[in-house]
Amino acid sequence: MIPAKFDYVRPGSVDEAVQALAGGGEDAKVIAGGQSLLPLLRLRLAYPDLLVDVGGIDELRGVTDSGDALVIGARTTHYQLTRDPLVAEHAGLLAEATRTVADPAVRHRGTLGGALAHADPAGDLPAVILALDATMIAHGPDGERQIEAADFFADYLTSALGPAEILTAVRIPKIGPEWGFRYEKFHRTAQSWATVGVAALVRRSNGSVAEARIGLTNMGTTPIRATAAEQAASGAAASRDALRAAASHAAEGTSPPGDLHGAPDYRRHLAEVLTGRALAAAAGV
Ligand SMILES: Cc1cc2nc3c(=O)[nH]c(=O)nc-3n(C[C@H](O)[C@H](O)[C@H](O)COP(=O)(O)OP(=O)(O)OC[C@H]3O[C@@H](n4cnc5c(N)ncnc54)[C@H](O)[C@@H]3O)c2cc1C
């Protein structure tokens, strides 16, 4: 289908983009890579009056080292994330998960900011960002605001961003060499979307797990942390059996969707199995 008519602006700075959004009110929308928004426009599931294209704002691109964290511009593409040496060294889980997103064509256009602002619980990167304890940096009419990942994903396809706010960057605390990680994803061969995905980080110490962090993809209306499994894994022996036992708690507190890719119970089972695999791989056992 052809999208409904809209006005289009391509500002050169974040301030101009915020002004354009504020002027357009509820009917204005940011467009970045367009990989999620354009299908919605074509299906007429969204019909904004104004699109504010952030593709011309150079300050939104790239990865910088800020000491104990990486700051990744919202307009950085998936492809760039998979190739960036700083991301590979300090946020390897993000690079690993991004490689599983869609196909090369989508990864060349899709952006980290778009994938997070879209807040799709079936998207791979929200659960990863949650497990990485990242902070979102947003700009709006009142200036800059920082939002913890745990507070950013408000509901199904709904982020904590206000209507005139732009996600400008994501701050990711560096993951040191004492951490192992793994993104496990189960999907149908014909398409890349996760039926369920699990992002796991494990810090080992003296043969046991000192700390575990687990983010779940597609197990509710938002990405969620598997807190019961995290608690069970933390302090457990770094062995496959102990981590599998911890993973049996992965689906606690979740409410996965049922659709043609799987019933809720099937997804709960997948979450447990994938969490066991991800924890074991992250712990190197
Ligand atoms: C064929 C296909 C397969 C796919 N497979 C997968 C997959 O396997 N896994 C996966 O995770 N994703 C998948 N996707 C989704 C895609 O990777 C992401 O949704 C996409 O990267 C979103 O980024 P974008 O820059 O294209 O966002 P856009 O489509 O431009 O925007 C998406 C939403 O975010 C908002 N937005 C964008 N940037 C900002 C910003 N800086 N500030 C505020 N709001 C903003 C827009 O207003 C819009 O609401 C697939 C998409 C397609 C088309």
PDB file of all heavy atoms in Angstrom, residues 29-37 54 74 78 100-103 106 109-111 113-115 117-118 122-125 161 165-167 185 192-193, ligand 1:
ATOM      1  N   LYS A  29       6.555  12.472  13.808  1.00  0.00           N
ATOM      2  CA  LYS A  29       7.298  11.276  14.190  1.00  0.00           C
ATOM      3  C   LYS A  29       8.719  11.350  13.643  1.00  0.00           C
ATOM      4  O   LYS A  29       8.937  11.847  12.530  1.00  0.00           O
ATOM      5  CB  LYS A  29       6.612  10.050  13.598  1.00  0.00           C
ATOM      6  CG  LYS A  29       6.293   9.055  14.702  1.00  0.00           C
ATOM      7  CD  LYS A  29       5.588   7.848  14.280  1.00  0.00           C
ATOM      8  CE  LYS A  29       5.638   6.736  15.300  1.00  0.00           C
ATOM      9  NZ  LYS A  29       6.110   6.999  16.627  1.00  0.00           N
ATOM     10  N   VAL A  30       9.663  10.832  14.435  1.00  0.00           N
ATOM     11  CA  VAL A  30      11.038  10.701  13.960  1.00  0.00           C
ATOM     12  C   VAL A  30      11.108   9.542  12.979  1.00  0.00           C
ATOM     13  O   VAL A  30      10.447   8.514  13.181  1.00  0.00           O
ATOM     14  CB  VAL A  30      11.978  10.401  15.152  1.00  0.00           C
ATOM     15  CG1 VAL A  30      13.383  10.081  14.673  1.00  0.00           C
ATOM     16  CG2 VAL A  30      11.994  11.557  16.130  1.00  0.00           C
ATOM     17  N   ILE A  31      11.910   9.715  11.934  1.00  0.00           N
ATOM     18  CA  ILE A  31      12.271   8.555  11.113  1.00  0.00           C
ATOM     19  C   ILE A  31      13.796   8.476  11.065  1.00  0.00           C
ATOM     20  O   ILE A  31      14.474   9.493  10.897  1.00  0.00           O
ATOM     21  CB  ILE A  31      11.648   8.595   9.697  1.00  0.00           C
ATOM     22  CG1 ILE A  31      11.981   7.308   8.964  1.00  0.00           C
ATOM     23  CG2 ILE A  31      12.082   9.830   8.899  1.00  0.00           C
ATOM     24  CD1 ILE A  31      11.107   7.028   7.757  1.00  0.00           C
ATOM     25  N   ALA A  32      14.328   7.263  11.275  1.00  0.00           N
ATOM     26  CA  ALA A  32      15.783   7.051  11.212  1.00  0.00           C
ATOM     27  C   ALA A  32      16.048   6.158   9.997  1.00  0.00           C
ATOM     28  O   ALA A  32      16.028   6.627   8.862  1.00  0.00           O
ATOM     29  CB  ALA A  32      16.274   6.454  12.517  1.00  0.00           C
ATOM     30  N   GLY A  33      16.246   4.861  10.203  1.00  0.00           N
ATOM     31  CA  GLY A  33      16.477   3.976   9.051  1.00  0.00           C
ATOM     32  C   GLY A  33      15.195   3.577   8.329  1.00  0.00           C
ATOM     33  O   GLY A  33      15.238   3.056   7.209  1.00  0.00           O
ATOM     34  N   GLY A  34      14.069   3.775   8.978  1.00  0.00           N
ATOM     35  CA  GLY A  34      12.770   3.491   8.352  1.00  0.00           C
ATOM     36  C   GLY A  34      12.402   2.009   8.279  1.00  0.00           C
ATOM     37  O   GLY A  34      11.356   1.659   7.748  1.00  0.00           O
ATOM     38  N   GLN A  35      13.219   1.144   8.877  1.00  0.00           N
ATOM     39  CA  GLN A  35      12.995  -0.295   8.697  1.00  0.00           C
ATOM     40  C   GLN A  35      11.795  -0.829   9.470  1.00  0.00           C
ATOM     41  O   GLN A  35      11.230  -1.860   9.122  1.00  0.00           O
ATOM     42  CB  GLN A  35      14.257  -1.081   9.082  1.00  0.00           C
ATOM     43  CG  GLN A  35      15.441  -0.760   8.211  1.00  0.00           C
ATOM     44  CD  GLN A  35      15.108  -0.965   6.735  1.00  0.00           C
ATOM     45  OE1 GLN A  35      14.879  -2.079   6.296  1.00  0.00           O
ATOM     46  NE2 GLN A  35      15.077   0.109   5.978  1.00  0.00           N
ATOM     47  N   SER A  36      11.398  -0.110  10.522  1.00  0.00           N
ATOM     48  CA  SER A  36      10.166  -0.476  11.227  1.00  0.00           C
ATOM     49  C   SER A  36       9.046   0.488  10.882  1.00  0.00           C
ATOM     50  O   SER A  36       7.891   0.088  10.758  1.00  0.00           O
ATOM     51  CB  SER A  36      10.384  -0.465  12.751  1.00  0.00           C
ATOM     52  OG  SER A  36      11.220  -1.527  13.110  1.00  0.00           O
ATOM     53  N   LEU A  37       9.403   1.768  10.749  1.00  0.00           N
ATOM     54  CA  LEU A  37       8.354   2.776  10.542  1.00  0.00           C
ATOM     55  C   LEU A  37       7.740   2.677   9.142  1.00  0.00           C
ATOM     56  O   LEU A  37       6.516   2.766   8.985  1.00  0.00           O
ATOM     57  CB  LEU A  37       8.930   4.171  10.784  1.00  0.00           C
ATOM     58  CG  LEU A  37       7.909   5.304  10.786  1.00  0.00           C
ATOM     59  CD1 LEU A  37       6.781   5.052  11.789  1.00  0.00           C
ATOM     60  CD2 LEU A  37       8.589   6.637  11.101  1.00  0.00           C
ATOM     61  N   VAL A  54      16.095  12.059  10.980  1.00  0.00           N
ATOM     62  CA  VAL A  54      17.314  12.387  11.729  1.00  0.00           C
ATOM     63  C   VAL A  54      18.579  11.910  11.004  1.00  0.00           C
ATOM     64  O   VAL A  54      19.679  11.979  11.539  1.00  0.00           O
ATOM     65  CB  VAL A  54      17.270  11.814  13.172  1.00  0.00           C
ATOM     66  CG1 VAL A  54      16.191  12.507  13.983  1.00  0.00           C
ATOM     67  CG2 VAL A  54      17.054  10.294  13.186  1.00  0.00           C
ATOM     68  N   ALA A  74      22.566   7.394  18.498  1.00  0.00           N
ATOM     69  CA  ALA A  74      21.334   6.668  18.167  1.00  0.00           C
ATOM     70  C   ALA A  74      21.250   6.327  16.682  1.00  0.00           C
ATOM     71  O   ALA A  74      20.615   5.355  16.285  1.00  0.00           O
ATOM     72  CB  ALA A  74      20.128   7.514  18.569  1.00  0.00           C
ATOM     73  N   HIS A  78      23.047  -0.795  12.504  1.00  0.00           N
ATOM     74  CA  HIS A  78      23.370  -2.146  12.979  1.00  0.00           C
ATOM     75  C   HIS A  78      24.689  -2.614  12.351  1.00  0.00           C
ATOM     76  O   HIS A  78      25.529  -3.211  13.009  1.00  0.00           O
ATOM     77  CB  HIS A  78      22.257  -3.121  12.591  1.00  0.00           C
ATOM     78  CG  HIS A  78      20.919  -2.770  13.156  1.00  0.00           C
ATOM     79  ND1 HIS A  78      20.745  -2.270  14.416  1.00  0.00           N
ATOM     80  CD2 HIS A  78      19.681  -2.855  12.630  1.00  0.00           C
ATOM     81  CE1 HIS A  78      19.458  -2.074  14.654  1.00  0.00           C
ATOM     82  NE2 HIS A  78      18.795  -2.411  13.565  1.00  0.00           N
ATOM     83  N   THR A 100      22.562 -10.988  14.523  1.00  0.00           N
ATOM     84  CA  THR A 100      21.408 -11.866  14.276  1.00  0.00           C
ATOM     85  C   THR A 100      20.178 -11.087  13.801  1.00  0.00           C
ATOM     86  O   THR A 100      19.143 -11.687  13.510  1.00  0.00           O
ATOM     87  CB  THR A 100      21.004 -12.647  15.555  1.00  0.00           C
ATOM     88  OG1 THR A 100      20.303 -11.772  16.462  1.00  0.00           O
ATOM     89  CG2 THR A 100      22.197 -13.270  16.258  1.00  0.00           C
ATOM     90  N   VAL A 101      20.259  -9.760  13.785  1.00  0.00           N
ATOM     91  CA  VAL A 101      19.093  -8.949  13.395  1.00  0.00           C
ATOM     92  C   VAL A 101      18.905  -9.009  11.878  1.00  0.00           C
ATOM     93  O   VAL A 101      19.820  -8.682  11.117  1.00  0.00           O
ATOM     94  CB  VAL A 101      19.274  -7.476  13.836  1.00  0.00           C
ATOM     95  CG1 VAL A 101      18.194  -6.586  13.239  1.00  0.00           C
ATOM     96  CG2 VAL A 101      19.274  -7.364  15.355  1.00  0.00           C
ATOM     97  N   ALA A 102      17.760  -9.462  11.450  1.00  0.00           N
ATOM     98  CA  ALA A 102      17.323  -9.344  10.052  1.00  0.00           C
ATOM     99  C   ALA A 102      18.374  -9.853   9.069  1.00  0.00           C
ATOM    100  O   ALA A 102      18.913 -10.943   9.226  1.00  0.00           O
ATOM    101  CB  ALA A 102      16.938  -7.900   9.772  1.00  0.00           C
ATOM    102  N   ASP A 103      18.644  -9.064   8.041  1.00  0.00           N
ATOM    103  CA  ASP A 103      19.547  -9.445   6.956  1.00  0.00           C
ATOM    104  C   ASP A 103      20.454  -8.252   6.660  1.00  0.00           C
ATOM    105  O   ASP A 103      20.239  -7.164   7.187  1.00  0.00           O
ATOM    106  CB  ASP A 103      18.729  -9.835   5.716  1.00  0.00           C
ATOM    107  CG  ASP A 103      17.703  -8.773   5.379  1.00  0.00           C
ATOM    108  OD1 ASP A 103      18.081  -7.583   5.321  1.00  0.00           O
ATOM    109  OD2 ASP A 103      16.512  -9.104   5.203  1.00  0.00           O
ATOM    110  N   VAL A 106      18.710  -4.809   5.823  1.00  0.00           N
ATOM    111  CA  VAL A 106      18.082  -4.134   6.967  1.00  0.00           C
ATOM    112  C   VAL A 106      19.164  -3.609   7.912  1.00  0.00           C
ATOM    113  O   VAL A 106      19.065  -2.488   8.437  1.00  0.00           O
ATOM    114  CB  VAL A 106      17.123  -5.090   7.706  1.00  0.00           C
ATOM    115  CG1 VAL A 106      16.599  -4.465   8.998  1.00  0.00           C
ATOM    116  CG2 VAL A 106      15.953  -5.478   6.803  1.00  0.00           C
ATOM    117  N   ARG A 109      20.599  -0.196   7.013  1.00  0.00           N
ATOM    118  CA  ARG A 109      19.759   1.001   7.180  1.00  0.00           C
ATOM    119  C   ARG A 109      19.255   1.164   8.618  1.00  0.00           C
ATOM    120  O   ARG A 109      19.131   2.267   9.110  1.00  0.00           O
ATOM    121  CB  ARG A 109      18.557   0.932   6.230  1.00  0.00           C
ATOM    122  CG  ARG A 109      18.946   1.040   4.771  1.00  0.00           C
ATOM    123  CD  ARG A 109      17.850   1.651   3.948  1.00  0.00           C
ATOM    124  NE  ARG A 109      17.539   3.009   4.370  1.00  0.00           N
ATOM    125  CZ  ARG A 109      18.154   4.098   3.940  1.00  0.00           C
ATOM    126  NH1 ARG A 109      19.134   3.985   3.070  1.00  0.00           N
ATOM    127  NH2 ARG A 109      17.808   5.289   4.367  1.00  0.00           N
ATOM    128  N   GLY A 110      18.940   0.058   9.272  1.00  0.00           N
ATOM    129  CA  GLY A 110      18.363   0.122  10.617  1.00  0.00           C
ATOM    130  C   GLY A 110      19.372   0.658  11.626  1.00  0.00           C
ATOM    131  O   GLY A 110      20.576   0.435  11.510  1.00  0.00           O
ATOM    132  N   THR A 111      18.868   1.358  12.629  1.00  0.00           N
ATOM    133  CA  THR A 111      19.753   2.002  13.604  1.00  0.00           C
ATOM    134  C   THR A 111      19.483   1.491  15.023  1.00  0.00           C
ATOM    135  O   THR A 111      18.381   1.013  15.325  1.00  0.00           O
ATOM    136  CB  THR A 111      19.527   3.528  13.610  1.00  0.00           C
ATOM    137  OG1 THR A 111      18.188   3.807  14.079  1.00  0.00           O
ATOM    138  CG2 THR A 111      19.710   4.122  12.214  1.00  0.00           C
ATOM    139  N   GLY A 113      19.197   3.369  17.685  1.00  0.00           N
ATOM    140  CA  GLY A 113      18.162   4.223  18.293  1.00  0.00           C
ATOM    141  C   GLY A 113      16.773   3.841  17.830  1.00  0.00           C
ATOM    142  O   GLY A 113      15.827   3.801  18.622  1.00  0.00           O
ATOM    143  N   GLY A 114      16.646   3.543  16.537  1.00  0.00           N
ATOM    144  CA  GLY A 114      15.333   3.154  16.007  1.00  0.00           C
ATOM    145  C   GLY A 114      14.863   1.845  16.616  1.00  0.00           C
ATOM    146  O   GLY A 114      13.692   1.697  16.986  1.00  0.00           O
ATOM    147  N   ALA A 115      15.786   0.896  16.746  1.00  0.00           N
ATOM    148  CA  ALA A 115      15.414  -0.408  17.297  1.00  0.00           C
ATOM    149  C   ALA A 115      14.971  -0.273  18.756  1.00  0.00           C
ATOM    150  O   ALA A 115      14.095  -1.006  19.204  1.00  0.00           O
ATOM    151  CB  ALA A 115      16.588  -1.379  17.183  1.00  0.00           C
ATOM    152  N   ALA A 117      13.885   2.805  20.311  1.00  0.00           N
ATOM    153  CA  ALA A 117      12.710   3.686  20.426  1.00  0.00           C
ATOM    154  C   ALA A 117      11.447   2.961  19.960  1.00  0.00           C
ATOM    155  O   ALA A 117      10.357   3.241  20.446  1.00  0.00           O
ATOM    156  CB  ALA A 117      12.929   4.954  19.603  1.00  0.00           C
ATOM    157  N   HIS A 118      11.591   2.025  19.034  1.00  0.00           N
ATOM    158  CA  HIS A 118      10.440   1.266  18.544  1.00  0.00           C
ATOM    159  C   HIS A 118       9.857   0.378  19.658  1.00  0.00           C
ATOM    160  O   HIS A 118       8.672   0.054  19.675  1.00  0.00           O
ATOM    161  CB  HIS A 118      10.872   0.419  17.344  1.00  0.00           C
ATOM    162  CG  HIS A 118       9.744  -0.170  16.578  1.00  0.00           C
ATOM    163  ND1 HIS A 118       8.664   0.558  16.152  1.00  0.00           N
ATOM    164  CD2 HIS A 118       9.506  -1.446  16.163  1.00  0.00           C
ATOM    165  CE1 HIS A 118       7.824  -0.222  15.508  1.00  0.00           C
ATOM    166  NE2 HIS A 118       8.301  -1.447  15.508  1.00  0.00           N
ATOM    167  N   ALA A 122       9.745  -8.108  20.680  1.00  0.00           N
ATOM    168  CA  ALA A 122      10.312  -9.175  19.845  1.00  0.00           C
ATOM    169  C   ALA A 122      11.634  -8.755  19.209  1.00  0.00           C
ATOM    170  O   ALA A 122      12.317  -9.582  18.596  1.00  0.00           O
ATOM    171  CB  ALA A 122       9.323  -9.572  18.741  1.00  0.00           C
ATOM    172  N   GLY A 123      12.007  -7.494  19.332  1.00  0.00           N
ATOM    173  CA  GLY A 123      13.291  -7.030  18.804  1.00  0.00           C
ATOM    174  C   GLY A 123      14.431  -7.591  19.651  1.00  0.00           C
ATOM    175  O   GLY A 123      14.282  -7.760  20.861  1.00  0.00           O
ATOM    176  N   ASP A 124      15.563  -7.832  19.018  1.00  0.00           N
ATOM    177  CA  ASP A 124      16.671  -8.459  19.746  1.00  0.00           C
ATOM    178  C   ASP A 124      17.403  -7.488  20.676  1.00  0.00           C
ATOM    179  O   ASP A 124      17.873  -7.881  21.742  1.00  0.00           O
ATOM    180  CB  ASP A 124      17.680  -9.030  18.738  1.00  0.00           C
ATOM    181  CG  ASP A 124      17.059 -10.134  17.916  1.00  0.00           C
ATOM    182  OD1 ASP A 124      16.745 -11.187  18.494  1.00  0.00           O
ATOM    183  OD2 ASP A 124      16.859  -9.945  16.698  1.00  0.00           O
ATOM    184  N   LEU A 125      17.499  -6.215  20.258  1.00  0.00           N
ATOM    185  CA  LEU A 125      18.406  -5.328  20.984  1.00  0.00           C
ATOM    186  C   LEU A 125      17.853  -4.777  22.297  1.00  0.00           C
ATOM    187  O   LEU A 125      18.631  -4.543  23.232  1.00  0.00           O
ATOM    188  CB  LEU A 125      18.877  -4.200  20.055  1.00  0.00           C
ATOM    189  CG  LEU A 125      19.514  -4.740  18.758  1.00  0.00           C
ATOM    190  CD1 LEU A 125      20.100  -3.613  17.931  1.00  0.00           C
ATOM    191  CD2 LEU A 125      20.573  -5.801  19.051  1.00  0.00           C
ATOM    192  N   LEU A 161      10.019   7.760  25.944  1.00  0.00           N
ATOM    193  CA  LEU A 161      10.277   9.047  25.281  1.00  0.00           C
ATOM    194  C   LEU A 161       8.986   9.850  25.153  1.00  0.00           C
ATOM    195  O   LEU A 161       7.934   9.288  24.807  1.00  0.00           O
ATOM    196  CB  LEU A 161      10.835   8.816  23.875  1.00  0.00           C
ATOM    197  CG  LEU A 161      12.246   8.229  23.768  1.00  0.00           C
ATOM    198  CD1 LEU A 161      12.543   7.878  22.315  1.00  0.00           C
ATOM    199  CD2 LEU A 161      13.283   9.204  24.326  1.00  0.00           C
ATOM    200  N   GLU A 165      10.602  14.253  22.127  1.00  0.00           N
ATOM    201  CA  GLU A 165      11.944  13.856  22.558  1.00  0.00           C
ATOM    202  C   GLU A 165      12.606  12.960  21.515  1.00  0.00           C
ATOM    203  O   GLU A 165      11.952  12.098  20.908  1.00  0.00           O
ATOM    204  CB  GLU A 165      11.874  13.094  23.886  1.00  0.00           C
ATOM    205  CG  GLU A 165      11.969  14.004  25.095  1.00  0.00           C
ATOM    206  CD  GLU A 165      12.071  13.213  26.391  1.00  0.00           C
ATOM    207  OE1 GLU A 165      11.376  12.182  26.530  1.00  0.00           O
ATOM    208  OE2 GLU A 165      12.817  13.639  27.268  1.00  0.00           O
ATOM    209  N   ILE A 166      13.915  13.153  21.378  1.00  0.00           N
ATOM    210  CA  ILE A 166      14.711  12.317  20.475  1.00  0.00           C
ATOM    211  C   ILE A 166      15.694  11.517  21.307  1.00  0.00           C
ATOM    212  O   ILE A 166      16.332  12.065  22.219  1.00  0.00           O
ATOM    213  CB  ILE A 166      15.481  13.215  19.486  1.00  0.00           C
ATOM    214  CG1 ILE A 166      14.481  13.888  18.559  1.00  0.00           C
ATOM    215  CG2 ILE A 166      16.506  12.432  18.696  1.00  0.00           C
ATOM    216  CD1 ILE A 166      15.129  14.715  17.512  1.00  0.00           C
ATOM    217  N   LEU A 167      15.787  10.253  21.015  1.00  0.00           N
ATOM    218  CA  LEU A 167      16.848   9.449  21.626  1.00  0.00           C
ATOM    219  C   LEU A 167      18.128   9.811  20.887  1.00  0.00           C
ATOM    220  O   LEU A 167      18.196   9.653  19.656  1.00  0.00           O
ATOM    221  CB  LEU A 167      16.516   7.961  21.451  1.00  0.00           C
ATOM    222  CG  LEU A 167      17.529   6.969  22.013  1.00  0.00           C
ATOM    223  CD1 LEU A 167      17.676   7.136  23.526  1.00  0.00           C
ATOM    224  CD2 LEU A 167      17.103   5.535  21.697  1.00  0.00           C
ATOM    225  N   LYS A 185      19.215 -17.262  20.416  1.00  0.00           N
ATOM    226  CA  LYS A 185      17.965 -16.854  19.766  1.00  0.00           C
ATOM    227  C   LYS A 185      17.385 -18.039  19.018  1.00  0.00           C
ATOM    228  O   LYS A 185      18.098 -18.731  18.297  1.00  0.00           O
ATOM    229  CB  LYS A 185      18.310 -15.729  18.795  1.00  0.00           C
ATOM    230  CG  LYS A 185      17.227 -15.291  17.841  1.00  0.00           C
ATOM    231  CD  LYS A 185      17.717 -14.038  17.102  1.00  0.00           C
ATOM    232  CE  LYS A 185      16.795 -13.595  16.013  1.00  0.00           C
ATOM    233  NZ  LYS A 185      17.210 -12.330  15.382  1.00  0.00           N
ATOM    234  N   SER A 192      13.927 -13.850  10.504  1.00  0.00           N
ATOM    235  CA  SER A 192      14.917 -13.662  11.562  1.00  0.00           C
ATOM    236  C   SER A 192      14.327 -13.302  12.914  1.00  0.00           C
ATOM    237  O   SER A 192      15.012 -13.388  13.931  1.00  0.00           O
ATOM    238  CB  SER A 192      15.868 -12.547  11.136  1.00  0.00           C
ATOM    239  OG  SER A 192      15.104 -11.404  10.795  1.00  0.00           O
ATOM    240  N   TRP A 193      13.061 -12.887  12.965  1.00  0.00           N
ATOM    241  CA  TRP A 193      12.497 -12.442  14.241  1.00  0.00           C
ATOM    242  C   TRP A 193      12.564 -13.568  15.272  1.00  0.00           C
ATOM    243  O   TRP A 193      12.247 -14.714  14.958  1.00  0.00           O
ATOM    244  CB  TRP A 193      11.040 -12.023  14.058  1.00  0.00           C
ATOM    245  CG  TRP A 193      10.898 -10.722  13.327  1.00  0.00           C
ATOM    246  CD1 TRP A 193      10.578 -10.557  12.015  1.00  0.00           C
ATOM    247  CD2 TRP A 193      11.087  -9.414  13.865  1.00  0.00           C
ATOM    248  NE1 TRP A 193      10.553  -9.229  11.708  1.00  0.00           N
ATOM    249  CE2 TRP A 193      10.853  -8.497  12.822  1.00  0.00           C
ATOM    250  CE3 TRP A 193      11.424  -8.928  15.129  1.00  0.00           C
ATOM    251  CZ2 TRP A 193      10.952  -7.123  13.001  1.00  0.00           C
ATOM    252  CZ3 TRP A 193      11.519  -7.562  15.304  1.00  0.00           C
ATOM    253  CH2 TRP A 193      11.275  -6.672  14.254  1.00  0.00           C
TER     254      TRP A 193
HETATM  255  C1  LIG B   1      12.582  -7.653   6.933  1.00  0.00           C
HETATM  256  C2  LIG B   1      12.880  -7.182   8.320  1.00  0.00           C
HETATM  257  C3  LIG B   1      13.384  -8.075   9.253  1.00  0.00           C
HETATM  258  C4  LIG B   1      13.674  -7.667  10.541  1.00  0.00           C
HETATM  259  N1  LIG B   1      14.195  -8.565  11.425  1.00  0.00           N
HETATM  260  C5  LIG B   1      14.522  -8.170  12.665  1.00  0.00           C
HETATM  261  C6  LIG B   1      15.109  -9.071  13.601  1.00  0.00           C
HETATM  262  O1  LIG B   1      15.387 -10.227  13.320  1.00  0.00           O
HETATM  263  N2  LIG B   1      15.386  -8.607  14.838  1.00  0.00           N
HETATM  264  C7  LIG B   1      15.151  -7.307  15.209  1.00  0.00           C
HETATM  265  O2  LIG B   1      15.439  -6.955  16.350  1.00  0.00           O
HETATM  266  N3  LIG B   1      14.617  -6.428  14.350  1.00  0.00           N
HETATM  267  C8  LIG B   1      14.297  -6.828  13.089  1.00  0.00           C
HETATM  268  N4  LIG B   1      13.761  -5.928  12.206  1.00  0.00           N
HETATM  269  C9  LIG B   1      13.474  -4.549  12.687  1.00  0.00           C
HETATM  270  C10 LIG B   1      14.597  -3.619  12.428  1.00  0.00           C
HETATM  271  O3  LIG B   1      15.860  -4.123  12.564  1.00  0.00           O
HETATM  272  C11 LIG B   1      14.498  -2.482  13.430  1.00  0.00           C
HETATM  273  O4  LIG B   1      13.206  -2.228  13.775  1.00  0.00           O
HETATM  274  C12 LIG B   1      15.104  -1.265  12.870  1.00  0.00           C
HETATM  275  O5  LIG B   1      16.453  -1.392  12.924  1.00  0.00           O
HETATM  276  C13 LIG B   1      14.641   0.004  13.559  1.00  0.00           C
HETATM  277  O6  LIG B   1      15.575   1.021  13.292  1.00  0.00           O
HETATM  278  P1  LIG B   1      15.274   2.126  12.211  1.00  0.00           P
HETATM  279  O7  LIG B   1      16.418   3.075  12.279  1.00  0.00           O
HETATM  280  O8  LIG B   1      14.973   1.534  10.912  1.00  0.00           O
HETATM  281  O9  LIG B   1      13.979   2.812  12.869  1.00  0.00           O
HETATM  282  P2  LIG B   1      12.740   3.508  12.150  1.00  0.00           P
HETATM  283  O10 LIG B   1      11.937   2.498  11.410  1.00  0.00           O
HETATM  284  O11 LIG B   1      13.172   4.723  11.412  1.00  0.00           O
HETATM  285  O12 LIG B   1      11.936   3.992  13.460  1.00  0.00           O
HETATM  286  C14 LIG B   1      11.343   3.049  14.317  1.00  0.00           C
HETATM  287  C15 LIG B   1      10.623   3.785  15.452  1.00  0.00           C
HETATM  288  O13 LIG B   1      11.561   4.444  16.288  1.00  0.00           O
HETATM  289  C16 LIG B   1      11.372   5.856  16.287  1.00  0.00           C
HETATM  290  N5  LIG B   1      12.710   6.440  16.251  1.00  0.00           N
HETATM  291  C17 LIG B   1      13.734   6.108  15.420  1.00  0.00           C
HETATM  292  N6  LIG B   1      14.847   6.743  15.763  1.00  0.00           N
HETATM  293  C18 LIG B   1      14.528   7.519  16.823  1.00  0.00           C
HETATM  294  C19 LIG B   1      15.263   8.427  17.637  1.00  0.00           C
HETATM  295  N7  LIG B   1      16.586   8.645  17.453  1.00  0.00           N
HETATM  296  N8  LIG B   1      14.616   9.052  18.643  1.00  0.00           N
HETATM  297  C20 LIG B   1      13.294   8.820  18.864  1.00  0.00           C
HETATM  298  N9  LIG B   1      12.541   7.973  18.137  1.00  0.00           N
HETATM  299  C21 LIG B   1      13.155   7.338  17.144  1.00  0.00           C
HETATM  300  C22 LIG B   1      10.514   6.150  15.051  1.00  0.00           C
HETATM  301  O14 LIG B   1       9.712   7.304  15.245  1.00  0.00           O
HETATM  302  C23 LIG B   1       9.686   4.889  14.962  1.00  0.00           C
HETATM  303  O15 LIG B   1       8.607   4.956  15.852  1.00  0.00           O
HETATM  304  C24 LIG B   1      13.454  -6.309  10.911  1.00  0.00           C
HETATM  305  C25 LIG B   1      12.958  -5.394   9.978  1.00  0.00           C
HETATM  306  C26 LIG B   1      12.667  -5.816   8.696  1.00  0.00           C
HETATM  307  C27 LIG B   1      12.166  -4.813   7.699  1.00  0.00           C
END
